[in-house]
Amino acid sequence: MDMAQDSTQEITGLKRWRLILGGEQQGSNGSGGEGMGDELRDGGAGFTDGTGVSLTGHDAQLDMALSALYDKQMYRYGRRSSGKSKGKKRGKGSASRGLASRGADLSPSAPYVAKWLHDIRELFPTSTVQMLQQDAISRLDLEELLAEREMLESVVPDVHLISTLLNYKEMIPEENKDLVRQVISHVVAELMAKLQLHTVQALKGALNKAVRRRHPRVQDINWDATIRKNLQHYQPSLNTIIPEELIGYGRKGRKLKDVILCIDQSGSMAESVIFASVFGAIMASMPALSTRLICFDTSVVDWTDHMSDPVDILWGVQLGGGTDINQAVTYGQSLVHRPDDTIIVVITDLEEGGDSKKMLKRFAELVESGVQVIVLLALSDDGAPSYDQDMAKKLMAMGICCFACTPDKFPDMMAAAINKQDMSLWVSQNIRATHKI
């Protein structure tokens, strides 16, 4: 019994390696499996390489889908094979699937890609489907095909897809733009549902602490809370309590903090624009915060009046073009009315196309005035960001924290900023090494 189990586990492991490595076709045998080539239909011999394992049925369908992408076989995906069609065996030094591509370099067409998109949704879990879609867009140059309705109806919407659609928005036919907006709306709704609760809880907690740390006027002192807080400071000789901290009532309708989000809308920052728009909408819904949202390239657009609908913002931004960070920071500076209670978050890769000396001067002026300035090199789930390291070091020397932030960390980062924590310490404790200077 144990030997049978070991044999089964060994075969399963070899099949997984076979799917990772790809291989050379080993014969044909056809029945069932609509949409697949005869040699890969249920019961077909599939492909083998050094593993000595043949793939049949569901495993063969998985292999066909992976070959279409990583072996650049999309041009023949879904065709019926009229005979043996040898795949290209991996040469010396080639990497595994997902790291290098093999085979013919023929451009895919919409019917085959749409069929492939449909099939991978049936074959793989959603997280894998999203990764395969992202790889297909980058490896097979599918940007133009995303303008076709058949394609748009076949994809699984996610942040990476929206980033691509926004970058190639001008290529989308007028008759498909409503569908694209629906795709964007779907992703935004998912992000709002995922991020809103944590963001609101984190910021409300921070704002409550901010209220307690203020120096209230006499009429605003919460005497009961103040006495309880300062009981340890009771002076027996004076028969009284000498309070070291006064706690006030939170005043309704009062904006405790001003937050200004300045977002670089160059093409490489597309995902950051998406997440920042969603967080802007969440923060705008909180009465204790005054939130403004600015997007910039070589010009500055203030989207504050549209923050309730991130879809409008995303549809309106023009990704790509130059970058004038100095102009954006100058505009942000003009919005500061109470420096000690203002947080400016500039989301940019610091690749300045304008006057870098003036930009650094503006940043220095903000810090000197008491504004809390944070530079996010990226706001996304991607890996280590690409940015101007020299510029980041100069800003760090001014006391401005520069780092990349994942969306799940952004609410806690904002809470730390609202409480005026040591942001350098917060970054060292919460941001992984690849995302900080």
Side-chain angles (χ1 to χ4, degrees):
M1 183 70 175
D2 290 341
M3 291 181 64
Q5 286 181 344
D6 290 344
S7 177
T8 300
Q9 290 175 357
E10 182 180 359
I11 292 173
T12 300
L14 287 172
K15 283 183 177 180
R16 288 176 179 171
W17 274 113
R18 166 61 190 80
L19 288 168
I20 292 170
L21 296 171
E24 201 170 80
Q25 185 189 322
Q26 188 90 346
S28 62
N29 182 11
S31 64
E34 181 181 353
M36 299 295 171
D38 290 343
E39 71 278 6
L40 290 177
R41 295 180 185 283
D42 293 345
F47 288 91
T48 63
D49 60 3
T51 62
V53 173
S54 295
L55 301 178
T56 60
H58 180 72
D59 291 333
Q61 293 179 15
L62 293 174
D63 188 66
M64 182 75 168
L66 293 171
S67 292
L69 173 56
Y70 296 113
D71 300 340
K72 292 193 174 181
Q73 297 291 312
M74 193 70 73
Y75 72 97
R76 56 188 292 274
Y77 188 78
R79 290 182 180 178
R80 289 178 175 271
S81 177
S82 57
K84 291 186 179 181
S85 175
K86 290 192 176 182
K88 189 173 182 179
K89 193 171 183 178
R90 189 177 311 286
K92 184 178 181 182
S94 296
S96 63
R97 269 184 172 154
L99 298 178
S101 48
R102 305 169 287 138
D105 186 16
L106 297 178
S107 299
S109 62
Y112 300 136
V113 177
K115 171 62 179 167
W116 179 79
L117 287 167
H118 174 271
D119 285 349
I120 63 173
R121 293 170 70 174
E122 302 294 326
L123 295 170
F124 299 98
T126 301
S127 59
T128 305
V129 170
Q130 292 173 344
M131 181 189 71
L132 292 174
Q133 285 180 175
Q134 186 182 0
D135 279 357
I137 291 168
S138 61
R139 287 170 173 269
L140 304 180
D141 300 323
L142 299 185
E143 291 88 354
E144 293 185 20
L145 291 179
L146 287 174
E148 300 191 22
R149 192 173 190 86
E150 185 179 14
M151 288 281 290
L152 291 170
E153 291 172 342
S154 301
V155 294
V156 175
D158 68 348
V159 172
H160 296 297
L161 175 67
I162 300 307
S163 298
T164 303
L165 288 173
L166 293 177
N167 271 300
Y168 292 89
K169 186 171 57 178
E170 301 306 317
M171 297 169 56
I172 298 171
E174 194 65 35
E175 61 270 19
N176 291 347
K177 287 186 177 180
D178 285 343
L179 179 58
V180 172
R181 278 187 69 102
Q182 291 175 26
V183 173
I184 295 174
S185 296
H186 177 85
V187 174
V188 167
E190 285 189 340
L191 291 177
M192 290 287 285
K194 178 182 177 181
L195 301 171
Q196 187 162 19
L197 181 61
H198 179 202
T199 303
V200 170
Q201 287 178 340
L203 298 189
K204 275 188 175 179
L207 288 166
N208 288 338
K209 290 180 181 178
V211 171
R212 294 168 64 89
R213 289 182 178 181
R214 287 182 166 275
H215 300 288
R217 294 178 298 180
V218 174
Q219 62 266 37
D220 293 329
I221 295 175
N222 182 338
W223 288 108
D224 181 64
T226 297
I227 291 170
R228 290 176 183 275
K229 181 69 175 178
N230 293 276
L231 282 174
Q232 68 270 34
H233 304 305
Y234 175 72
Q235 303 293 318
S237 60
L238 300 176
N239 195 30
T240 189
I241 293 172
I242 299 178
E244 292 190 1
E245 181 180 350
L246 299 176
I247 298 174
Y249 291 105
R251 300 181 65 188
K252 291 184 178 180
R254 185 174 186 176
K255 300 292 186 182
L256 299 178
K257 292 288 181 180
D258 297 336
V259 177
I260 302 171
L261 300 177
C262 294
I263 312 167
D264 183 344
Q265 62 182 32
S266 56
S268 61
M269 302 295 292
E271 286 188 35
S272 298
V273 173
I274 295 169
F275 282 112
S277 299
V278 171
F279 281 119
I282 295 171
M283 291 191 291
S285 69
M286 302 183 68
L289 286 178
S290 172
T291 307
R292 301 188 72 97
L293 189 145
I294 301 158
C295 290
F296 67 91
D297 43 30
T298 54
S299 59
V300 177
V301 180
D302 192 329
W303 287 98
T304 303
D305 292 340
H306 299 268
M307 279 196 300
S308 61
D309 188 357
V311 178
D312 277 350
I313 296 174
L314 295 175
W315 193 247
V317 295
Q318 298 294 325
L319 297 177
T323 306
D324 192 338
I325 304 172
N326 172 57
Q327 185 178 197
V329 175
T330 300
Y331 180 77
Q333 186 179 28
S334 72
L335 301 175
V336 176
H337 302 296
R338 43 180 193 163
D340 289 340
D341 290 317
T342 300
I343 303 167
I344 294 183
V345 181
V346 184
I347 305 172
T348 177
D349 56 12
L350 294 175
E351 297 288 349
E352 174 65 308
D355 192 323
S356 59
K357 289 183 179 180
K358 286 185 178 179
M359 181 195 77
L360 291 171
K361 182 181 177 182
R362 291 292 182 187
F363 274 115
E365 289 172 355
L366 285 169
V367 172
E368 289 168 8
S369 70
V371 173
Q372 199 168 3
V373 183
I374 298 169
V375 173
L376 297 186
L377 305 170
L379 177 57
S380 74
D381 284 314
D382 284 346
S386 174
Y387 61 95
D388 187 321
Q389 297 187 20
D390 182 59
M391 196 64 69
K393 289 176 182 177
K394 290 178 179 178
L395 291 175
M396 293 282 285
M398 295 181 191
I400 298 174
C401 279
C402 301
F403 59 97
C405 185
T406 55
D408 64 307
K409 289 290 185 182
F410 184 83
D412 298 326
M413 183 275 291
M414 287 302 305
I418 287 171
N419 282 327
K420 294 192 173 182
Q421 294 181 22
D422 182 337
M423 291 307 297
S424 295
L425 178 61
W426 186 90
V427 169
S428 68
Q429 294 174 341
N430 292 275
I431 302 299
R432 58 181 182 263
T434 56
H435 284 55
K436 56 189 177 186
I437 308 297

